[in-house]
Amino acid sequence: MQNNDDDIDELLVSRGLRLTRQRRQLAGLLFRDGDRHVTAEMLAREAKRNGIRVSLATVYNTLHQFTRAGLLRRINVDSARTWFDTNTTVHHHFFNTSNLELTDIPQDRVSVDVLPAPPDGTAIDHVDVVVRVTPR
Amino acid sequence: MQNNDDDIDELLVSRGLRLTRQRRQLAGLLFRDGDRHVTAEMLAREAKRNGIRVSLATVYNTLHQFTRAGLLRRINVDSARTWFDTNTTVHHHFFNTSNLELTDIPQDRVSVDVLPAPPDGTAIDHVDVVVRVTPR
DNA sequence: ATAGCTGCAAATGCTTTGCAAGGCC
DNA sequence: GGCCTTGCAAAGCATTTGCAGCTAT
């Protein structure tokens, strides 16, 4: 994925998000090159490195707003922190438990068959597969 | 699974754990009836309800010691808290994101094929499948 | 006796919240 | 102008840690 600034502005507006400086700059980091996995802490550090002035609270707010707007997907791999993925399509992950590196697995490279019915009164929302890996 | 007090003592000793009052009582709650999913907070509350005097820090320590000893398995379903499962065999989970209820799926009722190779220099440790469900 | 446990309180790390000031439409 | 956003600091949780006192072996 490749997006220029205009595409990114349009993306935000199309999801009903106002164009504030912080949102445009964070969206630039996230969506310019596509396919990224970040935590709030990582994104805040990266923003600072790039001369973007934004508070940590705003990074959290923005990640959640983008998630609600369907631009990001939350991933639960690690009970210590929340990861966000710019790839919102159905797919799965490798998670390196030593260096906390997350890698996508294209959906069509994993097949999952869940035979049992979900618990009474519930319906399946989605299936997450995390393949935990460690250095060899 | 069904264990009486003697079985439980033997279980702890066989894993090299000293028989302290707190460990025996917590192990009683966890392993007497088998197949349970708990968080530290839940286990501490249950202990209190059962008149077991134990600090929250000891509950955390004990859960980790039991995990290291292979009596429990950590589960990452929810980035807000850590779950522990008394079922240490390979299997997967339904997770109800509304009421935070975890249910086992026997391994033989799920088939997963991961085709791509893990990232360079890593080997697969294990595969976790979480089927997220919501009330219908 | 001594290595290992426990309990408490304080500390930590991630995340959320309250609120005043500022910015977008 | 009015509503949404931002930043800061404080608060909130889950979890870990330091350490003095206790306990299993």
Side-chain angles (χ1 to χ4, degrees), chain A residues 54-126:
Chain A
V54 62
S55 72
L56 184 55
T58 297
V59 171
Y60 275 102
N61 288 337
T62 303
L63 287 170
H64 289 140
Q65 291 153 356
F66 286 1
T67 301
R68 242 176 284 124
L71 298 173
L72 294 175
R73 204 181 196 300
R74 300 174 70 126
I75 315 175
N76 289 293
V77 278
D78 154 17
S79 48
R81 72 208 97 239
T82 301
W83 289 84
F84 295 86
D85 190 341
T86 59
N87 179 347
T88 57
T89 66
V90 177
H91 68 284
H92 303 298
H93 296 95
F94 285 119
F95 183 59
N96 184 326
T97 44
S98 293
N99 66 7
L100 307 185
E101 222 163 71
L102 254 186
T103 321
D104 281 353
I105 307 177
Q107 180 201 20
D108 60 359
R109 309 300 307 279
V110 175
S111 73
V112 185
D113 283 309
V114 180
L115 301 171
D120 270 4
T122 67
I124 292 180
D125 182 34
H126 68 276

Side-chain angles (χ1 to χ4, degrees), chain A residues 1-75:
Chain A
M1 197 202 287
Q2 284 280 338
N3 287 297
N4 62 35
D5 293 347
D6 289 349
D7 289 344
I8 288 173
D9 281 359
E10 201 178 321
L11 194 62
L12 298 182
V13 171
S14 73
R15 306 297 172 118
L17 294 169
R18 280 194 189 173
L19 295 178
T20 67
R21 174 179 62 77
Q22 292 84 340
R23 293 220 267 241
R24 297 169 78 182
Q25 294 183 312
L26 293 176
L29 296 180
L30 291 169
F31 306 121
R32 187 119 46 211
D33 306 317
D35 278 32
R36 305 205 46 194
H37 299 101
V38 299
T39 64
E41 198 59 54
M42 287 169 57
L43 184 58
R45 260 205 315 280
E46 181 177 351
K48 180 167 288 181
R49 267 202 310 281
N50 285 270
I52 297 176
R53 290 184 41 258
V54 62
S55 72
L56 184 55
T58 297
V59 171
Y60 275 102
N61 288 337
T62 303
L63 287 170
H64 289 140
Q65 291 153 356
F66 286 1
T67 301
R68 242 176 284 124
L71 298 173
L72 294 175
R73 204 181 196 300
R74 300 174 70 126
I75 315 175

Side-chain angles (χ1 to χ4, degrees), chain B residues 18 20 22-23 53-55 58:
Chain B
R18 281 195 188 172
T20 68
Q22 292 84 340
R23 294 221 265 241
R53 290 184 42 259
V54 61
S55 72
T58 297

Side-chain angles (χ1 to χ4, degrees), chain B residues 23-106:
Chain B
R23 294 221 265 241
R24 297 169 79 183
Q25 294 184 312
L26 293 176
L29 296 180
L30 291 169
F31 306 121
R32 187 118 46 210
D33 305 317
D35 279 32
R36 305 205 46 195
H37 300 99
V38 300
T39 64
E41 197 60 54
M42 285 170 57
L43 184 58
R45 259 204 315 280
E46 182 178 351
K48 179 166 287 180
R49 267 202 311 280
N50 285 270
I52 297 175
R53 290 184 42 259
V54 61
S55 72
L56 184 56
T58 297
V59 171
Y60 275 102
N61 288 335
T62 302
L63 287 170
H64 289 140
Q65 291 153 356
F66 286 1
T67 301
R68 243 177 282 126
L71 298 173
L72 294 175
R73 201 181 198 301
R74 300 175 69 126
I75 316 175
N76 288 294
V77 277
D78 152 18
S79 48
R81 72 207 96 241
T82 301
W83 290 84
F84 295 86
D85 190 341
T86 59
N87 180 346
T88 56
T89 66
V90 176
H91 68 283
H92 302 297
H93 296 95
F94 285 119
F95 183 59
N96 184 326
T97 44
S98 294
N99 65 8
L100 307 186
E101 222 162 70
L102 252 186
T103 320
D104 281 354
I105 307 176

